Amino acid sequence: MCVRAQARLAELAAELGFTLLATDVDAAAAGGEPGLRAEYGDRLPVILLDGREHSYWEIDEPRLRADLGR
């Protein structure tokens, strides 16, 4: 699910002109930062917009497009 979401978000980033940053919570935990896995691990993939949770499991594309247009 995460790979599909990241691929679609990359397409949307190219189309809509936003910067996509992807974080692997397992890699972060292995690197000594377990907080992300603890916070988001049961809802992956999680899409954040301006640091706030926008959607999880699936991209809410109509809402994301609307929110990016603001």
Side-chain angles (χ1 to χ4, degrees):
M1 288 175 50
C2 292
V3 171
R4 283 193 314 261
Q6 185 175 355
R8 182 61 187 138
L9 287 168
E11 292 170 353
L12 290 169
E15 176 188 339
L16 302 173
F18 65 88
T19 301
L20 174 63
L21 173 64
T23 302
D24 182 327
V25 297
D26 292 325
E33 297 181 40
L36 291 176
R37 186 189 312 164
E39 184 172 352
Y40 299 117
D42 62 339
R43 297 187 316 274
L44 295 175
V46 174
I47 291 86
L48 303 179
L49 182 59
D50 295 329
R52 296 176 54 198
E53 191 170 313
H54 189 268
S55 57
Y56 59 92
W57 294 333
E58 295 182 2
I59 302 166
D60 184 343
E61 192 171 325
R63 183 172 162 234
L64 181 62
R65 286 176 175 277
D67 290 347
L68 286 168
R70 293 182 188 170

